[in-house]
Amino acid sequence: MFNIKVKSVKPLKNQILEVEFTDGETKLYDVKQLYDEFEDYKILANDDIFNLVKIDCGGRAVTFTEDIDITEYELYTNSIK
């Protein structure tokens, strides 16, 4: 089981998230990498929607809208330090 959770999230320019995790790591996640695989995520190219990001599910995900979220596992494993 993956026990690391999102502690904080901050939207940066160019659809990059700065994510701090409960293990003390802070990483950068490029949301644009989801655009080719998941059509619904292209809505995040709109900065007004992208900047709505917040922690949800007790740190198990971040959400932008009711329908758009990213799990802590995806954020942790597919981001850079």
Side-chain angles (χ1 to χ4, degrees):
M1 175 175 232
F2 192 75
N3 290 320
I4 298 170
K5 296 179 183 177
V6 175
K7 184 175 179 180
S8 69
V9 62
K10 178 180 175 184
L12 304 177
K13 293 183 188 243
N14 204 25
Q15 282 73 48
I16 304 291
L17 295 175
E18 180 182 84
V19 185
E20 181 183 1
F21 297 92
T22 54
D23 70 347
E25 292 264 13
T26 298
K27 297 184 172 190
L28 299 176
Y29 183 86
D30 187 349
V31 173
K32 294 183 302 298
Q33 65 187 311
L34 299 172
Y35 293 177
D36 289 336
E37 193 171 350
F38 304 104
E39 185 74 25
D40 290 347
Y41 283 82
K42 289 182 180 179
I43 194 172
L44 299 177
N46 178 323
D47 287 337
D48 291 333
I49 296 172
F50 180 75
N51 290 329
L52 294 174
V53 68
K54 63 181 179 181
I55 299 171
D56 203 2
C57 301
R60 294 281 179 207
V62 298
T63 60
F64 302 88
T65 70
E66 221 174 82
D67 300 318
I68 304 292
D69 61 23
I70 305 172
T71 66
E72 85 288 9
Y73 182 81
E74 169 66 21
L75 292 167
Y76 194 85
T77 58
N78 292 306
S79 59
I80 58 171
K81 292 183 182 183

